[in-house]
Amino acid sequence: AQTVTQSQPEMSVQEAETVTLSCTYDTSESNYYLFWYKQPPSRQMILVIRQEAYKQQNATENRFSVNFQKAAKSFSLKISDSQLGDTAMYFCAFSGSQGNLIFGKGTKLSVKP
Amino acid sequence: DAGVIQSPRHEVTEMGQEVTLRCKPISGHNSLFWYRQTMMRGLELLIYFNNNVPIDDSGMPEDRFSAKMPNASFSTLKIQPSEPRDSAVYFCASRGPTIAKNIQYFGAGTRLSVL
């Protein structure tokens, strides 16, 4: 069975600085997708970034980028130039052949002014 | 595009009552997922449908839970009878037919409180 582990329950960062959230996963599948979702206090689940396992190039979306290490089964999220609006829970998620999302427990990120 | 629409946003009920949560997926999407979020267990899949057919309901906790998708634009999750341990946020998500993207879009969730 697939599992997703986020080892940092909480993190904080100063506004305008860079922070990296960690995620590891376990799977025997070779084709899969990895995601980072953001959940602000409004509780809406918002897709931040997506990575296809067969692509070696790391995904980027503006200030958000990932470090995808397939052999190590690691998928970290880097947020550059942190903004107050980045304060939220961040969930790492895996999607394989079954199609559903398997989530980590989340990391609560606080951006401080 | 209106996104995934869930109703109600909040539901407070008493133990033993029937609860029905509703979801309207994004038009054109053919997969629909129900997730539950609790502090103890995090986000977990309850059931998902593909082309209105239930594919995997292994996450449904017990017979008190049932889900239907009578057509491509509507799904319900019913709990009967409800219990305090069912208190959680319930999310519906939908996904389009383009497998290459494989992105699920979430509704705003229903916060259920069973007293």
Side-chain angles (χ1 to χ4, degrees):
Chain A
Q2 292 90 353
T3 59
V4 177
T5 302
Q6 293 179 249
S7 59
Q8 306 151 313
E10 292 193 39
M11 294 191 72
S12 64
V13 64
Q14 291 295 130
E15 196 175 5
E17 293 188 346
T18 296
V19 64
T20 298
L21 310 183
S22 302
C23 173
T24 58
Y25 59 95
D26 190 24
T27 184
S28 58
E29 299 186 22
S30 57
N31 293 322
Y32 50 88
Y33 298 83
L34 295 164
F35 305 84
W36 280 96
Y37 279 87
K38 168 185 177 181
Q39 187 178 40
S42 67
R43 82 167 180 250
Q44 178 73 51
M45 294 290 288
I46 302 165
L47 178 66
V48 174
I49 200 165
R50 166 181 162 273
Q51 175 79 42
E52 299 164 53
Y54 63 86
K55 288 189 175 179
Q56 291 185 338
Q57 186 173 9
N58 289 323
T60 62
E61 288 287 344
N62 301 314
R63 298 183 295 107
F64 299 88
S65 61
V66 299
N67 183 3
F68 173 48
Q69 302 288 329
K70 190 172 184 179
K73 295 180 181 175
S74 171
F75 183 61
S76 61
L77 174 70
K78 186 171 81 170
I79 306 174
S80 303
D81 185 25
S82 298
Q83 300 176 0
L84 296 178
D86 296 334
T87 292
M89 284 289 290
Y90 286 82
F91 292 95
C92 178
F94 169 98
S95 179
S97 59
Q98 292 188 324
N100 58 292
L101 288 168
I102 298 169
F103 289 91
K105 294 294 187 187
T107 296
K108 184 178 181 180
L109 177 67
S110 299
V111 180
K112 301 184 184 305
Chain B
D1 191 339
V4 177
I5 300 172
Q6 290 187 246
S7 63
R9 281 277 287 170
H10 306 278
E11 177 78 40
V12 180
T13 191
E14 292 187 348
M15 183 174 63
Q17 297 297 306
E18 177 180 296
V19 176
T20 299
L21 311 182
R22 297 173 175 80
C23 176
K24 177 179 170 57
I26 293 172
S27 177
H29 283 193
N30 65 337
S31 295
L32 184 140
F33 305 79
W34 283 100
Y35 294 91
R36 179 171 67 175
Q37 184 177 29
T38 62
M39 289 296 292
M40 290 295 295
R41 299 175 66 90
L43 278 152
E44 52 183 350
L45 177 75
L46 297 176
I47 185 170
Y48 88 88
F49 296 84
N50 196 44
N51 294 323
N52 311 338
V53 176
I55 301 300
D56 181 1
D57 65 354
S58 59
M60 296 285 264
E62 49 200 91
D63 292 345
R64 298 184 298 106
F65 285 68
S66 63
K68 294 182 179 180
M69 192 163 188
N71 56 62
S73 59
F74 185 65
S75 177
T76 59
L77 178 68
K78 184 178 293 186
I79 308 172
Q80 166 65 17
S82 58
E83 297 182 2
R85 59 188 167 131
D86 302 331
S87 297
V89 178
Y90 291 81
F91 286 101
C92 174
S94 71
R95 184 181 67 195
T98 306
I99 300 298
K101 290 198 171 182
N102 198 22
I103 296 173
Q104 293 185 27
Y105 297 89
F106 283 74
T110 295
R111 180 177 294 280
L112 173 64
S113 298
V114 183
L115 307 178

